[in-house]
Amino acid sequence: GRSKVAEKELEAKMSAVSLEEGKTVEFSDLYAAFNAFSAAGSAPRPGAAAGGAGAKKGGDAQKGKGQQKQGGEQQKKQGGGDGKKQGGGEGKKAKKEKGQKPEKKAAAAAVVDVSILDIRVGKIVKVEPHPEADGLYLEQIDVGEEKGPRQVISGLRKFVPIEDMQDREVVVILNLKPAKMRGIMSNGMVLCASNADHTQVDPLRPPAGVPLGEKLTFEGYTGEPIDVINPKKKLLEKLFPDLKTDADGVAKYKDAAFMTTKGVCAASLKDALVR
């Protein structure tokens, strides 16, 4: 509306200074027309202000859009990086967990009782003094094996006369690890009863008529003998406290008697140790 007023004012001023033939133009009239022209030129065109505001608004919007786009790209980049980092880390962790070997279950403690021993009935078919030791006998014992008698060394020379050893039936542990005794290999152990100070020793006797090689049994102990009793594992030492003779001289592991198909094994020493 302001520009229209200025234009009308300019037209009025210009019409006032129209050059007519023979008429003199005054300076004041020209000055007034010039001011009206300047005002009309400096007045904003219709829609110019609105256009400027729109352009500014559009520029601001475009700028905001650019900032939004930049922010989105930055967020996307950061999110992707974090996702990759997190995903990669979790993936490696999962892979590591997958690659881990399952923990081994703790092995059950091995049962150590008299059933681990292979104890059989045997007969001394030959006996002689050990050539390198005064207290030892070198014996050949028939335990029913196809390969013939076993060579066994016993420390009985100071306790049992040699004539009482010959053809004597005894109780023998067969699955001990073979060991040299004064340079000669021994492949078993003759079980004996002994008093506490080891001044009296008497080999256990099986009942008469038991087949040679028969395996002794113990009521309540049904496990199988292990192949070899390794002395380093001290298994015999764990069993010895429970190997004794009772008040009748019957050999027992705890409360279980040394049993054969013909009855129990016994010794002349009562309430004694069995070794």
Side-chain angles (χ1 to χ4, degrees), residues 6-53:
E7 287 177 0
K8 287 182 179 181
E9 186 179 357
L10 177 61
E11 290 176 358
K13 295 294 182 180
M14 291 299 294
S15 62
V17 294
S18 299
L19 294 177
E20 296 182 4
E21 188 177 354
K23 188 177 181 178
T24 304
V25 180
E26 297 294 335
F27 176 76
S28 59
D29 294 330
L30 289 175
Y31 183 74
F34 176 75
N35 285 338
F37 180 79
S38 298
S42 62
R45 291 176 296 174

Side-chain angles (χ1 to χ4, degrees), residues 164-175:
D164 288 345
M165 291 292 290
Q166 183 66 46
D167 298 324
R168 183 174 184 141
E169 291 185 350
V170 289
V171 176
V172 187
I173 300 177
L174 299 187
N175 60 338

Side-chain angles (χ1 to χ4, degrees), residues 43-201:
R45 291 176 296 174
K56 182 178 180 182
K57 185 176 180 181
D60 291 343
Q62 187 70 21
K63 182 177 179 182
K65 187 175 180 180
Q67 291 176 345
Q68 185 177 0
K69 182 177 179 182
Q70 183 178 359
E73 290 178 352
Q74 184 175 0
Q75 185 176 0
K76 182 178 179 182
K77 183 177 179 181
Q78 183 177 356
D82 292 344
K84 185 176 180 181
K85 182 177 180 181
Q86 184 176 358
E90 291 178 354
K92 288 181 179 179
K93 184 178 179 181
K95 186 176 181 181
K96 183 177 180 181
E97 290 177 355
K98 185 177 180 182
Q100 287 178 345
K101 294 182 179 180
E103 293 183 1
K104 294 183 177 179
K105 294 182 180 180
V111 176
V112 179
D113 60 39
V114 72
S115 66
I116 70 171
L117 302 178
D118 187 3
I119 305 176
R120 297 180 184 264
V121 172
K123 181 178 180 179
I124 300 174
V125 295
K126 183 180 179 180
V127 58
E128 57 184 321
H130 191 296
E132 300 297 333
D134 293 339
L136 303 178
Y137 281 132
L138 179 59
E139 307 147 0
Q140 300 296 322
I141 303 177
D142 184 359
V143 289
E145 295 176 314
E146 293 182 0
K147 62 184 180 181
R150 283 193 175 217
Q151 179 169 276
V152 177
I153 295 175
S154 301
L156 296 172
R157 193 168 170 183
K158 294 181 179 180
F159 305 103
V160 182
I162 193 168
E163 56 271 18
D164 288 345
M165 291 292 290
Q166 183 66 46
D167 298 324
R168 183 174 184 141
E169 291 185 350
V170 289
V171 176
V172 187
I173 300 177
L174 299 187
N175 60 338
L176 297 181
K177 185 177 180 180
K180 280 187 176 182
M181 299 182 70
R182 294 293 183 95
I184 299 177
M185 191 66 69
S186 179
N187 295 286
M189 175 180 175
V190 174
L191 285 172
C192 303
S194 169
N195 62 358
D197 58 7
H198 202 65
T199 56
Q200 293 179 292
V201 178

